[in-house]
Structures are given as C-alpha cells and as structure tokens.
C-alpha cells in the first residue's frame, strides 16, 4: 500500500513563552512607573495637598516645632514635581535660616544679639519669642543701671511689657531718693534756724528744729531736751555773742522703711564777738571749754553732719573741728 503524499501534516503547537515574557515586561514597567511615581514624584496629589495644608496650619498657628517637622517630612517625601514644592521650598529655607539665627541669639543671651536678630527678622517666625526675650533683657539692664532715664526708656519701648509695674515701682523709689531743690532748701532752713537759735540761746526756737527722739547731739547719745538746753546755756555763760554760718551744704536722701531720711554734710563757722576770754565748742564732750582772747571776731570752723527726718527735724548732729587749711 502506497502512502498518499497529499495528506496534510499535523499543526505545530507554538510556544507561549514569548507572550508571557511580553506580559511580564509590561507588568514590570507598570510597577516601575508606580514606584517612580510614589518615591520620586511623591505620592498622590491628595496626600501632597494634605501635607501642604498641615504645613500652612502649623505656620498660621505659630506651632514652630511642628512646622519644622512637617517641612522636613514634606521634602523627604516629595520632589520638585510636587505641586507645592516651589512654594514650600522658599518657606523651608526661610524658616530654618531664621531658626538657626534665633538659636544663635539665644545662646548669646545679650541685648545686642536679640536686637540684631530683630533687625534682620522684623516680622519672622520667632518675633514673639524675640520680643519677650528683648523685654526681659531690657528690664534686667534697666535694674542694673537703676537710673530714671533708663526706666523711662524701658516704659517708652515696652508700654505693655511684662515688667511695667515693677519699673514704675522702681522709678517711684528713685523719685523718693532723688533730692529736690525744695528739699535741700528745707534742710538748710532747718539747720540755719537751729544754729541761729543756738547762737541766740533761744530754747523755744531750738526745740522747734529737733525731732521728738534724738539719737545723738554733739557727743551725747540719746539726749533729752534739757541736756541740749544745758549745753546751750554753758556756751553763753561768759556773756559772749555768737553767730553761726552754715556753708558748703551737701544733702543726700535715703528711703528707709518707706520713709525719707536726709543726710547733711556742711561746714559751720562760729564767729564770737566779745573782747576778752570766751568759750569755744568742745565737739567731743559736748561742753564748753576755755578759749583765748579775741580782739574782734574769733572764728572757729567745724565740719558737721546731721540727719533729718521726713518732717525736716534734726535726729542727729555731730560737729568736729575742721583741720586748718
């Protein structure tokens, strides 16, 4: 039996490998595109918008720590293809530059450093903190200087500052301690009246210049009025005429326990007008002692210190012979 050469050959099965390979390449390409999009473009537009909104919220609320963290996270996640990248890049650079400048100023803790920061960043992220620090450092400087002028400068610059009440109180204390022209005149008037009465042997007038309690009087501690009267009478026992002149008066005022005390330093001249023997002030013992004969006016000079109370009454008086010039 002969073979028929016209009989068709059975179909050859084609391999599926090329198709699977092509499909795999497509899948890999799509996966690669997804990875690129997620890691290089930065995720979905919705996520990027949410990150942007968070950053804006932190900035508006001045939540500076959260703002810094959110900015760092954004640029760790998104690249220049992100929609808000350029806008946030400017914010990022400005924020971290200012933060570094503020940390440097805080480390120095000086008025000049904070003032320089405010000059460079007048409307920056750390304006509130810088103003608070500037306020507190200015207050410390004012207290250390302790002059009315510096306190006035503080109140002018920080009219609503944290330390306004304290500064006003300190200014009041300075006002209490600063001697006025009227106060100095009152001190001199009291001392002049006192020595005029002493020279005139006038008990009533001399008592009017003295406080109710006297700590010391020309060598005697805690004297009574009678002690002072006796001293004055002894001074005039020889019948001499005495004139006192208060000169070179220097007065300071001190606030003690809420009350003003006036400390006076002065030069006292004693002029004696009587021919013959007279007595001169014994400033150590508080008693008269025999002196010398004077043809006309015999002049003695004493350095004096006195303390006067708020009522301009003498509470202490000390006289010492002035050294000869």
């Amino acid at each position: 039996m002969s073979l028929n050469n016209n009989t068709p050959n059975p179909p050859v099965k084609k391999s599926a490998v090329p198709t699977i390979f092509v499909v795999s390449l497509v899948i890999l390409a799509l996966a690669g595109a997804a990875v690129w999009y997620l890691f290089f473009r930065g995720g979905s537009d919705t996520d990027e918008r949410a990150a942007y909104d968070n950053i804006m919220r932190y900035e508006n609320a001045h939540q500076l720590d959260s703002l810094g963290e959110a900015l760092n996270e954004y640029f760790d996640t998104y690249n220049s293809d992100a929609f808000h990248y350029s806008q946030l890049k400017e914010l990022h650079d400005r924020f971290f530059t200012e933060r570094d400048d503020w940390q440097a100023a805080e480390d120095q803790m000086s008025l000049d450093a904070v003032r320089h920061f405010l000059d460079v960043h007048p409307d920056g992220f750390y304006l509130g903190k810088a103003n608070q620090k500037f306020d507190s450092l200015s207050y410390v400087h004012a207290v250390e200087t302790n002059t009315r002028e510096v306190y006035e400068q503080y109140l002018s610059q920080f009219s609503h500052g944290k330390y306004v009440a304290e500064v006003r109180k300190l200014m009041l204390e300075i006002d209490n301690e600063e001697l006025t022209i009227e106060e100095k005149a009152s001190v001199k008037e009291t001392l002049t009246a006192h020595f005029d009465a002493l020279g005139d042997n006038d008990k009533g007038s001399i008592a009017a210049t003295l406080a109710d309690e006297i700590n010391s009087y020309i060598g005697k501690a805690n004297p009574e009025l009678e002690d002072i009267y006796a001293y004055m009478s002894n001074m005039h026992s020889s019948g001499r005429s005495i004139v006192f002149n208060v000169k070179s008066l220097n007065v300071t005022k001190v606030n003690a326990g809420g009350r003003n005390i006036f400390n006076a330093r002065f030069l006292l001249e004693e002029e004696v007008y009587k021919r013959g023997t007279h007595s001169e002030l014994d400033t150590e013992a508080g008693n008269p002692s025999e002196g010398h004969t004077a043809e006309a006016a015999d002049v003695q000079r004493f350095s004096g210190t006195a303390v006067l109370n708020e009522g301009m009454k003498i509470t202490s008086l000390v006289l010492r012979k002035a050294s000869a010039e």
Side-chain angles (χ1 to χ4, degrees), residues 196-212:
D196 284 349
L198 191 63
D200 294 339
N201 198 16
D202 185 343
K203 292 182 179 180
S205 295
I206 202 168
T209 65
L210 297 170
D212 293 336

Side-chain angles (χ1 to χ4, degrees), residues 235-246:
M235 183 186 299
H236 291 276
S237 61
S238 63
R240 61 185 180 160
S241 176
I242 305 173
V243 176
F244 293 104
N245 295 307
V246 177

Side-chain angles (χ1 to χ4, degrees), residues 129-159:
K129 290 187 176 183
N131 280 332
Q132 290 177 4
K133 183 66 69 176
F134 196 44
D135 183 356
S136 62
L137 290 175
S138 296
Y139 171 70
V140 170
H141 170 69
V143 172
E144 290 175 346
T145 307
N146 195 35
T147 64
R148 201 177 203 287
E149 180 182 4
V150 173
Y151 287 137
E152 287 175 346
Q153 289 175 356
Y154 174 89
L155 292 177
S156 175
Q157 191 165 13
F158 303 96
S159 58

Side-chain angles (χ1 to χ4, degrees), residues 86-100:
S86 297
Q87 178 183 351
L88 294 183
K89 183 66 169 63
E90 187 273 334
L91 176 63
H92 173 277
D93 294 346
R94 181 162 52 89
F95 173 78
F96 284 102
T97 296
E98 183 178 337
R99 190 183 72 172
D100 291 344

